[in-house]
Amino acid sequence: MIDEMVAPDNVYDAAAAWASRFVDGPGAALAAAKAGIDAVYELTAAERSAAERRYLDVFAANLKRSPPVEAT
């Protein structure tokens, strides 16, 4: 998935601008999310698949409780 395309000379500036959105965010939550993402690479293929299914189950349950709001 591509969110934004930038010229090669502007990649660093664009990445820094994107990352700056998280500076004032919840540090513990961001650290937990990063740790979870990093840990995926230490799992076996079967463990990754099980973790992915759990994520999708949680995501689907949240969508049932709070469907996305359409932009107007």
Side-chain angles (χ1 to χ4, degrees), residues 33-70:
K34 183 180 184 315
I37 291 167
D38 290 347
V40 167
Y41 296 104
E42 297 173 7
L43 301 176
T44 66
E47 291 169 328
R48 271 193 308 275
S49 182
E52 188 174 289
R53 280 192 302 279
R54 285 192 305 273
Y55 169 80
L56 292 174
D57 290 345
V58 169
F59 186 74
N62 284 333
L63 280 178
K64 286 179 184 175
R65 275 199 324 257
S66 299
V69 177
E70 300 255 345

